[in-house]
Amino acid sequence: MKKFRKVLDGLTTSSPVNPGGSPACGSAAGTPGTAPTPRELEIQETLMSEHFQICKTVRHGVPYQPTALAFDPVQKILAIGSRSGGVRLLGRPGVDCHCQHESGAAVLQLQFLINEGALVTACADDTLHLWNLRQRRPAILHSLKFNRERITFCHLPFQSKWLYVGTERGNTHIVNIESFVLSGYVIMWNKAIELSTKTHPGPVVHLSDSPKDEGKLLIGFESGTIVMWDLRAKRADFRIYYDEAIHSASWHHEGRQFMCSHSDGSLSLWNLRNTAKPFQVTFPHGKTQRDGRKESCKPILKVEYKTSRNSSEAFVVFSGGLSYDKAGRRPTLTIMHGKAITVLEMDYPIVDFLVLCETPYLNEVQEPYAVVVLLEKDFVVVDLTQSNFPIFENPYPMDIHESPVTCTAYFADCPPDIIPVLYSIGAKHKKTGYSHKEWPVSGGTWTVGSQTYPEIIITGHADGSIKFWDATAITLQMLYKLKTSKVFEKPKGGDVGRNAELAEEDPYAVQMISWCPQSRIFCVVGISAHVILYRFSKHDANTTITSLEVRLQCEIEDVISPSDAENTPCFSDPSGHSPQPQPPSPRSNTPDSMRDSIPCLKVKDRMIRMPPGYQAELVVQLLWIDGEPPQQITSLDLNSAYGLLALGNCNGLAVVDYLQKTILLCMSTLELYGSADPFQRLTRSPRKNRQSTSDFCMRGLSNFHSDSKKRIRTSYQSLTELSDNQVSLDLERSKSPTSAPYAPSLHNDPRGTGEPVSNLRSCHYSPVFYLLDNDHVNGHCTSPTSQPCLTGRARVPGGPEGPRLARRGPGRPPFRKAQSAACMEVSLPVSSLTEGYPSRRAMLQQLHGVSMYSHDEQHITTYSWSERESRENSFSRSRSSSVSSIDRETKEAVTTLQFAESYVRKSDTLPTPCLWVGTSLGLVLIIPMSIPTDEQERLEDPVTVAPTGTVLMLKGSVLRIGFLDCGGVLINSPYEVWRDQHAPDDPDRPRKRKLVNFSPSSSQEASGDGHLAVVCSERQAKVFFMPSQACLYVHNITESSFVLRADVVSVYNSVCLACFCANGHIMTLSLPSLRPLLDVSYLPLTDMRIARTFCFTNGGQALYLCSPTEIQRITYSQEMCDNLQEMLGELFTPIETPEAQNRGFLKGFFGGNAQTFDREELFGEAAAGKASRSLAQHIPGQGGMEGMKAAAGGVVGELARARIALDERGQRLGELEERTALMMTSAETFSKHAHELMLKCKDKKWYQF
């Protein structure tokens, strides 16, 4: 079979054009007579399938949608529950663990078994779980599912094994933590309240035992009823009926008083000596009005009442309670200490808070020292020991989402000096005013593992900021923050009114990042079609920023002749000046139709003082053309050795020399081919009457100048089936400050055929595209059921399509809601072929806002801009007309760029600097460049770039290009060694450019000349031999889905191709043979956030944004999975429980000793019996016997397994014995009742029955 495939490969390679009309993989190569065969290369591939395994490593960021909070005061471990069923466990820096409930139910409450290494979680599906924290990867030991009642509140007394569980019906159940079974002891709601009460008290909202007597349980009901239940006597000591609903309660440590918070914003203090009325009622934030009544206040959701040894006044800490009179006030946490009231405003709503105390005993003076506040999108700790209540500096990366994350980049094995340098620069800009005390959450132990190397994660954000993070050894610490918005001018005073409307917009949002760690050159692509180039310096500088404007698209009204084309420049000259007249200011009040040759943003044109760090040197901006906004940039690459920067979008390619600050090349994609264009393209009729239909256009930069602004929303339309049925899916409401825009859409417009392709020049074609029906290929009807149509012409759409709209570029407007990866909560349809998007086109519309088509794509997506206020993302069947595939291929986007030392022609003997260009049609072009080698000549002589038309072809849009030498070793791009341009001059050591060049010819003496090019598209991967351009290997990655991300990565001192598909599969392929090594269904693409942020890196690692606030890191390396236990921190450390304080004789005699009692006597099976089996179901967890099975291994594995088998047998025998005893008891009871009934009826006559 392999030989047969090789024969087919040889046939297709030798064939210049396949029967279908599209080139084969070697169409540009001709006959591969001079190319080596795979057998001749003799590359030893060392990677095997057993080297790969998928495993989650660590999660960073504040838990998304948190719901619950708990703290172990002895172990000093913090737990946070979330709405998605996740539990985050935090200790000292490095101790960070994420657990997930399989059900995905929201976590309602968390309870630590203090100093026991265990945690109880209560979930929204009415299930209790017991987690074992004595292992690095916590596991569930037991679960208890309530069947007939809903759980509302849980309380676990210190050093007790009995858990109190309150329910929605008002009942209180008791669970044995050791066996996780219900006790027969139940406090029914109708027994807790008085018989004369006619109304239900409501759900249980509070449970706590008295600090003075553990045999007394305080039960709070939502309606305002409070009951002190005597557990021994099984009756109520007292009952309190209050007018206002209760939210929480807290005891004074002496057990004589307790405080309640209510829904009217009041705090009531109750004394046990007199429960007829409250001892004190206060409205902390309620002012007395003129009529003597208190103004209405918001509910106080929680209160904590703590005492201090150093002060006679207690601390009262509560959340909420503000008056309703002031709208828009921030959420607050109030700290009352005596007469002093301190109100702390928070940035986000308060979910929960805890007061941290020195002692775990409730009957001792609490000595509070901090308050942990869990916010909706943050987590802060307040220092109570200082009068100004400062916050602690958070050692965890909880501010990843400070501005929504729009893109990510991951760099492993960075230069070792880069992290200390970035940290030293970033430390100068850190905030001050933090508490000087040690971080209070200091539990667990963690040590840096043996296998560590420098790792950096870069995140781009919607506000234009860039954050560099130190990701070494599974930790995450922010190193340095860069604000790209400082490069541009702020709006003038006259634009304040207009900018108020644009407060939500994100014109500086980061779309793409390119970084060279060796040269420390950094490039940022913004959403307003701009590129900023930064250089790193340790010294501040006063410089001006050079701005280059690129006219990357041209527009014509009619098909131009060759003579006209010669007189019409389509790109800027090398000096960077446009032949157009002086453009107006971007801020001027120019109508959309009049905007031409102006950028979206205005770069500062004055001298700027730049602090040490990354300093902007060059800004490249795409221009508006004839009222059309520039299309967003879809690809970027820079090379510090060449001093060049390349960028591309759906209109074409631009190459910039950032050393000489000039534009070298600006051409449309079609013009790059020259005569080697593999497609026959047809021109289109020019658009007429632009002004008459301009009202239908989506507004771009004119948002600054319009009096009435509407938020732009979009809808999807997919052509998976030719049907009129619409399938709409709701968009989850995002709480991010930046809401998700959805892909733009175009309307169909019948067109006629144009002039021959020979008349085409670089121009801006109409972005009103056609869609190709599945039964029309290359203009010919292929379906027997389809209607006859003219070749190359579109059928006129029928139905209520509406009037033809004026065209607008398929890209998004320059100013609009940022495409935040953090806020894309899109529910996606699952088609019969692909989980997630119907095609990669739909996904790319979300990612880049451009329309890109593939010649082999059958699921074509069309988009339309909608100006209505809509939060729905609808997928509908397209009713568009069908046209020739030749026609729709006129628009071609540049999807990937790669500078390299390579061969352009088959006759080349030495590699030269080249730019490899991949397009959305699956074509790869190789553009040679002539770069002066001398440093002085490089700064003065021009660099020449001359497209030659060399074309390689794949299926689907090209995603990644990489290079190997003939020994299978990865060839890195040349780079320049970093030098500080603003450092003081040293006459002894003149500053010269030092280049490191990984030329293919220098490392292949034994392997012969040439090198391998690895090209991966959304459908397949190919390996070409250069310079012969012969296709050596080809592998179809997926047929039913498409690749979202592909990277050539180093792992195990070898190289592989890593791919992430839209159906959630992660794959690795060996290089160069493209042999599948790993294919695991890991993560279905459920929203755009994952598609936008997923990235691979060297060392077998990857990451993605798993929620708007969290980064999930994973590994696909078996070695790292095996060593993960070493790298993770220990959650539990053996610590002796602190002893209770000796109260003394006099204090105990007059104040009363805290009474203890044996709960086993009351709640055990002997005294209380067993609970009904139908009430709750016990579910054994994987942390029990299953966990022991997994742990058994090594030399004594067989022994351990035998012992486990014996234990299981004993357990089953014990269960059988229990069931037998239960049956005997049941039989005896039945016999007893039958005997009593017989005696009762023995002497009765028949007529007495």
Side-chain angles (χ1 to χ4, degrees):
M1 189 64 187
K2 289 184 178 179
K3 291 183 179 179
F4 183 66
R5 283 183 183 173
K6 290 181 181 178
V7 171
L8 286 180
D9 287 344
L11 288 175
T12 56
T13 305
S14 60
S15 175
V17 178
N18 64 11
S22 62
C25 67
S27 62
T31 58
T34 59
T37 62
R39 183 171 297 176
E40 291 174 358
L41 285 176
E42 294 183 355
I43 296 177
Q44 186 76 26
E45 293 185 359
T46 59
L47 292 179
M48 307 296 291
S49 298
E50 51 266 23
H51 290 148
F52 296 92
Q53 181 183 349
I54 298 293
C55 180
K56 292 182 180 179
T57 55
V58 68
R59 182 172 293 197
H60 304 295
V62 63
Y64 183 56
Q65 295 180 334
T67 54
L69 184 67
F71 183 72
D72 188 327
V74 179
Q75 288 288 324
K76 296 190 182 301
I77 292 289
L78 189 80
I80 301 174
S82 67
R83 187 176 298 178
S84 60
V87 178
R88 190 77 166 276
L89 297 159
L90 300 171
R92 67 175 66 249
V95 179
D96 189 340
C97 182
H98 175 263
C99 312
Q100 179 67 40
H101 292 92
E102 292 184 0
S103 65
V107 178
L108 300 180
Q109 199 173 351
L110 299 165
Q111 285 283 328
F112 272 104
L113 276 67
I114 297 176
N115 204 27
E116 294 292 335
L119 176 72
V120 175
T121 58
C123 296
D125 59 351
D126 306 309
T127 306
L128 297 173
H129 303 276
L130 178 64
W131 292 83
N132 178 20
L133 307 184
R134 293 180 178 241
Q135 55 195 57
R136 298 187 185 227
R137 287 281 180 148
I140 294 178
L141 291 171
H142 301 282
S143 297
L144 188 66
K145 169 73 174 175
F146 280 75
N147 298 321
R148 294 185 296 182
E149 297 198 53
R150 308 296 308 271
I151 299 173
T152 58
F153 195 87
C154 298
H155 170 63
L156 180 64
F158 179 45
Q159 294 181 327
S160 170
K161 68 174 184 178
W162 298 96
L163 175 72
Y164 301 111
V165 181
T167 67
E168 195 175 34
R169 293 186 180 181
N171 303 325
T172 302
H173 300 274
I174 301 170
V175 178
N176 188 319
I177 292 299
E178 294 178 350
S179 60
F180 234 61
V181 295
L182 276 177
S183 167
Y185 193 110
V186 183
I187 305 174
M188 305 299 292
W189 68 270
N190 54 354
K191 294 184 178 180
I193 63 173
E194 292 181 345
L195 297 176
S196 59
T197 306
K198 297 181 180 180
T199 58
H200 191 278
V204 175
V205 296
H206 177 79
L207 291 169
S208 62
D209 49 345
S210 170
K212 188 177 179 179
D213 186 358
E214 294 179 350
K216 304 291 180 66
L217 184 67
L218 187 69
I219 307 173
F221 297 92
E222 189 180 54
S223 63
T225 302
I226 302 171
V227 176
M228 177 69 86
W229 185 261
D230 189 334
L231 294 170
R232 301 184 191 88
K234 299 183 181 179
R235 60 179 178 82
D237 273 5
F238 62 82
R239 299 178 179 90
I240 298 173
Y241 299 96
Y242 197 66
D243 296 335
E244 295 295 335
I246 292 176
H247 287 281
S248 69
S250 181
W251 281 97
H252 188 277
H253 79 277
E254 293 180 350
R256 299 174 182 176
Q257 293 178 335
F258 63 89
M259 184 177 289
C260 299
S261 65
H262 302 280
S263 58
D264 63 346
S266 65
L267 295 173
S268 62
L269 185 63
W270 299 85
N271 196 315
L272 298 188
R273 294 180 179 178
N274 182 14
T275 58
K277 62 178 182 179
F279 177 74
Q280 183 183 15
V281 177
T282 57
F283 287 82
H285 297 297
K287 299 178 181 178
T288 304
Q289 299 176 349
R290 293 182 179 179
D291 56 1
R293 294 184 303 174
K294 292 282 187 181
E295 62 181 348
S296 58
C297 297
K298 298 177 182 178
I300 296 179
L301 301 179
K302 185 175 182 180
V303 64
E304 294 234 17
Y305 187 27
K306 302 297 180 183
T307 54
S308 176
R309 187 176 293 106
N310 299 329
S311 175
S312 58
E313 302 290 347
F315 279 93
V316 177
V317 184
F318 62 89
S319 61
L322 295 178
S323 59
Y324 280 105
D325 60 345
K326 295 182 181 179
R329 295 185 66 175
R330 286 182 169 188
T332 60
L333 182 79
T334 305
I335 302 174
M336 297 173 59
H337 188 211
K339 295 182 179 180
I341 300 179
T342 304
V343 179
L344 304 178
E345 290 188 340
M346 302 294 171
D347 293 333
Y348 304 102
I350 298 174
V351 176
D352 198 359
F353 73 89
L354 286 174
V355 178
L356 307 188
C357 301
E358 296 287 353
T359 176
Y361 296 94
L362 296 180
N363 57 354
E364 295 179 359
V365 178
Q366 298 296 289
E367 288 294 338
Y369 61 91
V371 182
V372 178
V373 187
L374 179 63
L375 307 177
E376 193 176 64
K377 292 183 180 180
D378 205 352
F379 163 69
V380 296
V381 181
V382 181
D383 187 356
L384 288 181
T385 60
Q386 301 183 40
S387 58
N388 59 341
F389 301 125
I391 66 171
F392 289 88
E393 185 177 4
N394 201 326
Y396 315 122
M398 294 297 181
D399 57 347
I400 293 174
H401 63 286
E402 184 178 12
S403 175
V405 178
T406 53
C407 66
T408 59
Y410 194 3
F411 299 88
D413 204 7
C414 300
D417 59 336
I418 190 69
I419 290 179
V421 169
L422 288 173
Y423 180 79
S424 62
I425 298 296
K428 300 176 182 178
H429 305 285
K430 283 194 173 182
K431 296 179 182 179
T432 57
Y434 293 112
S435 173
H436 299 292
K437 294 201 171 183
E438 186 182 354
W439 177 252
V441 186
S442 57
T445 56
W446 178 76
T447 57
V448 179
S450 57
Q451 297 181 347
T452 58
Y453 43 84
E455 301 174 65
I456 288 181
I457 294 173
I458 304 177
T459 55
H461 300 265
D463 64 352
S465 61
I466 304 285
K467 291 181 180 179
F468 290 77
W469 305 84
D470 178 10
T472 305
I474 72 169
T475 61
L476 196 69
Q477 293 292 324
M478 195 172 81
L479 296 171
Y480 175 71
K481 182 177 180 180
L482 175 67
K483 294 183 179 179
T484 63
S485 59
K486 291 185 177 181
V487 173
F488 302 100
E489 295 281 4
K490 293 182 179 180
K492 296 180 180 179
D495 295 330
V496 173
R498 303 187 194 99
N499 292 333
E501 300 174 354
L502 294 171
E504 297 181 312
E505 306 298 335
D506 300 302
Y508 311 112
V510 179
Q511 206 171 11
M512 207 177 302
I513 290 170
S514 181
W515 186 46
C516 178
Q518 290 81 11
S519 62
R520 302 184 189 178
I521 294 180
F522 185 60
C523 267
V524 179
V525 175
I527 208 163
S528 299
H530 64 267
V531 179
I532 310 174
L533 184 137
Y534 291 89
R535 284 183 182 269
F536 187 84
S537 176
K538 296 181 180 179
H539 307 274
D540 56 358
N542 294 318
T543 59
T544 57
I545 303 172
T546 304
S547 177
L548 294 179
E549 297 176 351
V550 179
R551 191 180 177 91
L552 197 53
Q553 49 188 349
C554 299
E555 186 165 354
I556 49 176
E557 290 299 327
D558 294 301
V559 177
I560 58 176
S561 64
S563 60
D564 294 335
E566 293 173 0
N567 300 325
T568 306
C570 294
F571 54 90
S572 304
D573 54 43
S575 63
H577 297 288
S578 174
Q580 302 297 328
Q582 183 65 26
S585 168
R587 300 291 181 184
S588 61
N589 295 328
T590 309
D592 269 4
S593 59
M594 302 297 293
R595 292 185 176 278
D596 184 57
S597 299
I598 62 171
C600 300
L601 302 172
K602 181 174 174 56
V603 180
K604 292 179 180 178
D605 53 3
R606 61 184 183 276
M607 187 74 69
I608 303 173
R609 182 191 174 278
M610 298 184 182
Y614 273 103
Q615 300 168 351
E617 180 179 290
L618 176 67
V619 177
V620 182
Q621 291 181 286
L622 304 187
L623 300 177
W624 279 66
I625 297 178
D626 294 339
E628 301 289 346
Q631 306 301 315
Q632 290 185 15
I633 297 169
T634 58
S635 56
L636 175 77
D637 192 34
L638 69 90
N639 188 283
S640 57
Y642 302 157
L644 299 180
L645 170 70
L647 57 99
N649 66 2
C650 64
N651 289 319
L653 169 70
V655 180
V656 176
D657 184 345
Y658 66 78
L659 295 179
Q660 298 184 20
K661 309 295 190 299
T662 58
I663 300 172
L664 301 177
L665 179 73
C666 182
M667 301 176 72
S668 69
T669 316
L670 178 61
E671 195 172 20
L672 293 174
Y673 292 106
S675 61
D677 189 359
F679 296 106
Q680 296 181 359
R681 309 182 194 244
L682 299 178
T683 59
R684 303 195 179 152
S685 307
R687 172 171 55 95
K688 302 296 184 183
N689 298 329
R690 182 187 298 115
Q691 304 296 331
S692 63
T693 55
S694 61
D695 292 340
F696 293 96
C697 291
M698 174 208 65
R699 299 188 180 274
L701 200 61
S702 61
N703 286 333
F704 274 106
H705 318 290
S706 61
D707 294 329
S708 60
K709 172 179 171 290
K710 294 183 179 180
R711 182 176 302 173
I712 298 171
R713 291 291 180 263
T714 61
S715 62
Y716 282 109
Q717 290 182 338
S718 60
L719 193 65
T720 53
E721 297 177 11
L722 296 177
S723 169
D724 291 338
N725 299 329
Q726 287 194 351
V727 181
S728 62
L729 296 170
D730 293 332
L731 173 72
E732 297 179 12
R733 182 178 179 181
S734 175
K735 296 184 179 180
S736 171
T738 307
S739 62
Y742 319 116
S745 175
L746 301 164
H747 294 269
N748 303 301
D749 187 14
R751 303 273 178 151
T753 58
E755 297 297 323
V757 71
S758 60
N759 291 337
L760 288 180
R761 296 288 293 170
S762 174
C763 56
H764 174 55
Y765 293 102
S766 168
V768 183
F769 296 113
Y770 304 104
L771 292 181
L772 176 67
D773 288 350
N774 291 340
D775 54 351
H776 290 79
V777 178
N778 294 334
H780 302 284
C781 297
T782 58
S783 171
T785 60
S786 61
Q787 298 296 325
C789 62
L790 296 178
T791 301
R793 287 189 175 271
R795 294 176 296 184
V796 177
E801 291 280 330
R804 186 175 68 184
L805 302 185
R807 66 180 172 137
R808 171 69 69 183
R812 301 198 179 130
F815 289 94
R816 73 184 188 322
K817 212 60 175 170
Q819 184 76 322
S820 165
C823 59
M824 295 174 187
E825 296 290 336
V826 183
S827 300
L828 302 174
V830 180
S831 65
S832 59
L833 295 179
T834 303
E835 295 180 35
Y837 288 88
S839 75
R840 190 169 188 271
R841 298 297 159 269
M843 188 274 303
L844 287 177
Q845 287 282 4
Q846 291 240 42
L847 287 183
H848 301 299
V850 296
S851 184
M852 294 185 283
Y853 298 94
S854 175
H855 65 276
D856 69 321
E857 185 65 67
Q858 291 186 351
H859 305 287
I860 312 301
T861 309
T862 180
Y863 308 95
S864 88
W865 285 102
S866 170
E867 290 192 354
R868 55 198 173 128
E869 289 287 340
S870 171
R871 290 185 177 270
E872 293 183 353
N873 187 22
S874 61
F875 289 74
S876 59
R877 311 301 186 209
S878 171
R879 301 173 191 158
S880 62
S881 58
S882 66
V883 294
S884 166
S885 63
I886 301 175
D887 194 19
R888 68 184 174 88
E889 284 165 356
T890 354
K891 200 72 172 181
E892 183 177 6
V894 177
T895 55
T896 186
L897 295 166
Q898 184 66 51
F899 286 104
E901 300 259 333
S902 185
Y903 303 88
V904 179
R905 300 173 182 84
K906 301 178 203 175
S907 58
D908 290 348
T909 57
L910 292 176
T912 57
C914 299
L915 174 62
W916 286 58
V917 181
T919 73
S920 57
L921 294 185
L923 302 180
V924 179
L925 297 93
I926 308 174
I927 302 176
M929 299 174 295
S930 176
I931 302 175
T933 55
D934 183 73
E935 181 175 359
Q936 191 62 30
E937 292 178 356
R938 176 65 185 85
L939 299 176
E940 296 175 356
D941 296 348
V943 176
T944 58
V945 181
T948 61
T950 303
V951 176
L952 308 174
M953 175 169 276
L954 289 86
K955 290 182 181 178
S957 178
V958 180
L959 300 179
R960 189 66 57 196
I961 300 172
F963 302 95
L964 309 176
D965 63 18
C966 289
V969 179
L970 181 66
I971 302 175
N972 295 308
S973 298
Y975 65 86
E976 175 190 2
V977 178
W978 174 75
R979 58 196 176 102
D980 197 337
Q981 290 189 330
H982 299 297
D985 292 331
D986 186 356
D988 298 331
R989 300 179 62 186
R991 288 178 296 170
K992 292 184 179 180
R993 295 185 72 210
K994 182 179 179 182
L995 305 182
V996 179
N997 192 355
F998 293 90
S999 176
S1001 60
S1002 62
S1003 61
Q1004 301 175 38
E1005 297 177 0
S1007 303
D1009 296 332
H1011 68 87
L1012 305 177
V1014 181
V1015 185
C1016 182
S1017 73
E1018 62 182 12
R1019 298 287 183 183
Q1020 65 177 190
K1022 288 186 178 181
V1023 176
F1024 296 93
F1025 181 79
M1026 305 300 291
S1028 69
Q1029 302 175 11
C1031 180
L1032 300 182
Y1033 301 95
V1034 60
H1035 176 73
N1036 292 322
I1037 300 174
T1038 176
E1039 295 294 339
S1040 61
S1041 184
F1042 52 90
V1043 179
L1044 289 170
R1045 178 79 186 213
D1047 288 290
V1048 179
V1049 294
S1050 297
V1051 59
Y1052 291 104
N1053 297 321
S1054 189
V1055 187
C1056 70
L1057 178 65
C1059 303
F1060 173 59
C1061 298
N1063 58 6
H1065 283 246
I1066 293 179
M1067 306 177 185
T1068 58
L1069 306 174
S1070 68
L1071 290 178
S1073 66
L1074 299 177
R1075 175 171 43 90
L1077 299 173
L1078 175 73
D1079 187 354
V1080 175
S1081 179
Y1082 170 72
L1083 181 74
L1085 180 63
T1086 54
D1087 52 55
M1088 283 302 304
R1089 183 192 319 110
I1090 300 171
R1092 194 178 190 86
T1093 59
F1094 197 101
C1095 53
F1096 295 97
T1097 189
N1098 296 330
Q1101 297 195 71
L1103 67 80
Y1104 60 93
L1105 210 68
C1106 59
S1107 76
T1109 61
E1110 297 171 286
I1111 289 177
Q1112 177 68 59
R1113 291 165 66 180
I1114 64 173
T1115 180
Y1116 50 95
S1117 164
Q1118 178 67 57
E1119 182 182 4
M1120 191 167 184
C1121 290
D1122 295 339
N1123 297 329
L1124 189 59
Q1125 294 293 332
E1126 269 183 42
M1127 303 169 68
L1128 296 175
E1130 289 277 0
L1131 290 168
F1132 178 79
T1133 53
I1135 301 175
E1136 290 188 8
T1137 303
E1139 296 182 359
Q1141 294 179 1
N1142 187 6
R1143 295 172 59 87
F1145 173 75
L1146 293 177
K1147 192 170 183 179
F1149 181 78
F1150 293 103
N1153 285 313
Q1155 300 181 19
T1156 59
F1157 76 108
D1158 188 1
R1159 293 183 175 90
E1160 184 70 32
E1161 294 181 359
L1162 290 175
F1163 308 143
E1165 184 178 343
K1170 286 188 175 182
S1172 172
R1173 291 189 176 181
S1174 61
L1175 183 60
Q1177 176 186 0
H1178 176 259
I1179 305 169
Q1182 295 183 353
M1185 285 292 180
E1186 291 80 1
M1188 291 175 62
K1189 289 176 183 177
V1195 182
V1196 294
E1198 294 297 330
L1199 256 171
R1201 278 189 285 273
R1203 190 177 66 180
I1204 290 172
L1206 285 175
D1207 291 343
E1208 288 179 344
R1209 183 171 180 272
Q1211 184 178 351
R1212 286 194 293 269
L1213 287 174
E1215 292 175 356
L1216 180 62
E1217 185 179 354
E1218 289 178 3
R1219 287 196 293 269
T1220 306
L1222 185 62
M1223 291 176 63
M1224 290 179 62
T1225 305
S1226 177
E1228 290 177 359
T1229 305
F1230 180 77
S1231 174
K1232 180 180 178 182
H1233 287 310
H1235 183 69
E1236 291 176 354
L1237 184 62
M1238 184 268 293
L1239 293 177
K1240 184 177 179 181
C1241 302
K1242 181 179 179 181
D1243 298 329
K1244 288 186 179 182
K1245 303 298 183 180
W1246 64 270
Y1247 53 82
Q1248 290 177 326
F1249 286 99

